[in-house]
Amino acid sequence: MKNPETLLMKLHYFASKLEFLIDKHNQDQMVGYYSELEEVIDDYSSFITNGENENQWHNLEQTYEISLLIEKLRKMSANCVKIMEKYWALKYLHETEEMTDYFRNIEVCIEKELSDFPITNKSKVLVVGSGPFPITLLSIAKRTGAKVFGIDIDDEAILLGRKVAAKLGNHTIQIENKSVNELQSIQQISHIIFSSTVNCKYDILEQLHNLTKKDVMIAMRYGNALKSLFNYPMETVDATKWRIVEQIAVPQGVFDIALYQKV
Ligand SMILES: C[S@@+](CC[C@H](N)C(=O)[O-])C[C@H]1O[C@@H](n2cnc3c(N)ncnc32)[C@H](O)[C@@H]1O
């Protein structure tokens, strides 16, 4: 990207593409547009992980209009990823599908996350915002043998997530529409991973302080700067409750990860 104006034009281009696809989805007219959705999300993922764009991002003047555009892009891209995950789950339930670049990218992020997040077969892991294609839950269960739990606010995502897990032969994964304070197992959870597209993730972290055991470990996915176009950014935490243990940068990944422990 040669200059900030070209970057801004590209942001408007993505906003119109994402808006168009969300309209199609809202009007129940997605048939025929799913490959376009996958292409846009792959293109968007490459855009936010491109170092050259990152340089131009820092030259972009942060006006009120631009911050509104960023907020809109973040919401719309999170919505489009959920639509794509639902589609992907349905396809997976009916046939075997090739992975898109976006899903390959998530796998890379999970690998990096797990290298610094010591999960074993004795661990109990909760994913907040497990999604319709619960790739994080499935990947952790397969790689570590840990007991995994997911929560989501979207009933369709929960049903699809359960079916995908069952098709993969994993009947131990529990996915529910519950808040953290309604989860019976919350006291036994050893590791919690937040999806980066959960907008109130830092409010939930605040609540978790009183609900969880003292050595619980938190992996907060986030995206700052250019990556904030696709993720909710990192926030400061109450230093009397949580301390940041490590920040894991995944340069080619769509999100980065911050690890927290109780003070
Ligand atoms: C589609 S997945 C995306 C996963 C992606 N790989 C990531 O790390 O963000 C995100 C899921 O979070 C769910 N979600 C959003 N807000 C939430 C909340 N407050 N509590 C639980 N789940 C939430 C959405 O319904 C969606 O299914």
Side-chain angles (χ1 to χ4, degrees):
M1 206 83 2
K2 288 192 193 61
N3 55 48
E5 287 73 36
T6 325
L7 185 98
L8 190 57
M9 272 167 58
K10 194 78 186 173
L11 298 189
H12 283 293
Y13 160 82
F14 279 122
S16 68
K17 282 275 178 194
L18 296 170
E19 198 161 13
F20 170 80
L21 290 162
I22 291 168
D23 278 351
K24 287 281 164 208
H25 173 75
N26 291 344
Q27 291 160 20
D28 261 336
Q29 291 172 356
M30 272 308 281
V31 178
Y33 289 98
Y34 282 110
S35 50
E36 186 172 339
L37 174 67
E38 288 178 343
E39 273 166 32
V40 174
I41 295 294
D42 281 351
D43 197 14
Y44 198 60
S45 306
S46 309
F47 175 83
I48 63 149
T49 51
N50 179 319
E52 249 183 69
N53 295 339
E54 179 80 29
N55 293 338
Q56 288 313 329
W57 171 266
H58 295 292
N59 296 329
L60 192 68
E61 203 192 337
Q62 297 282 331
T63 61
Y64 177 66
E65 283 73 25
I66 292 180
S67 49
L68 285 183
L69 177 64
I70 295 166
E71 184 64 29
K72 189 173 162 192
L73 279 163
R74 192 184 292 142
K75 274 193 191 140
M76 290 198 300
S77 56
N79 195 352
C80 279
V81 163
K82 186 151 77 172
I83 298 167
M84 187 176 80
E85 282 200 19
K86 285 182 180 173
Y87 168 65
W88 222 68
L90 284 167
K91 275 220 291 194
Y92 181 74
L93 292 170
H94 295 101
E95 56 198 275
T96 308
E97 262 306 312
E98 281 294 308
M99 271 200 171
T100 66
D101 291 347
Y102 167 78
F103 276 104
R104 255 180 238 112
N105 189 304
I106 299 291
E107 283 262 286
V108 171
C109 293
I110 295 172
E111 206 157 292
K112 194 85 176 68
E113 194 166 52
L114 288 182
S115 65
D116 293 272
F117 206 43
I119 296 176
T120 68
N121 61 357
K122 304 268 182 321
S123 306
K124 291 196 165 84
V125 183
L126 169 68
V127 175
V128 180
S130 49
F133 197 93
I135 192 164
T136 303
L137 287 178
L138 294 164
S139 192
I140 291 176
K142 190 167 153 211
R143 286 164 196 241
T144 66
K147 184 146 179 50
V148 293
F149 304 79
I151 53 172
D152 205 292
I153 48 170
D154 181 319
D155 287 331
E156 196 185 358
I158 289 169
L159 284 178
L160 288 169
R162 287 177 183 157
K163 284 186 184 167
V164 169
K167 179 163 178 187
L168 276 164
N170 193 323
H171 299 279
T172 60
I173 288 180
Q174 290 178 34
I175 308 176
E176 295 175 284
N177 187 345
K178 284 193 173 158
S179 55
V180 286
N181 57 340
E182 291 168 336
L183 270 185
Q184 275 191 334
S185 50
I186 197 70
Q187 273 287 336
Q188 282 89 55
I189 297 290
S190 57
H191 297 76
I192 301 176
I193 297 176
F194 280 89
S195 279
S196 62
T197 52
V198 171
N199 63 351
C200 53
K201 57 194 176 184
Y202 277 92
D203 295 335
I204 301 176
L205 179 67
E206 170 79 26
Q207 283 180 51
L208 281 170
H209 192 264
N210 286 337
L211 297 170
T212 48
K213 55 183 190 173
K214 83 173 189 317
D215 56 353
V216 67
M217 286 198 72
I218 311 286
M220 180 68 82
R221 296 175 176 177
Y222 71 93
N224 288 349
L226 190 61
K227 288 189 186 179
S228 72
L229 290 171
F230 211 172
N231 304 281
Y232 286 88
M234 194 172 167
E235 293 179 22
T236 45
V237 288
D238 181 343
T240 64
K241 291 184 175 164
W242 297 102
R243 72 185 166 89
I244 187 152
V245 189
E246 198 181 338
Q247 261 177 275
I248 307 169
V250 193
Q252 289 314 309
V254 285
F255 54 75
D256 299 307
I257 302 133
L259 302 185
Y260 296 95
Q261 273 186 323
K262 279 189 187 177
V263 171

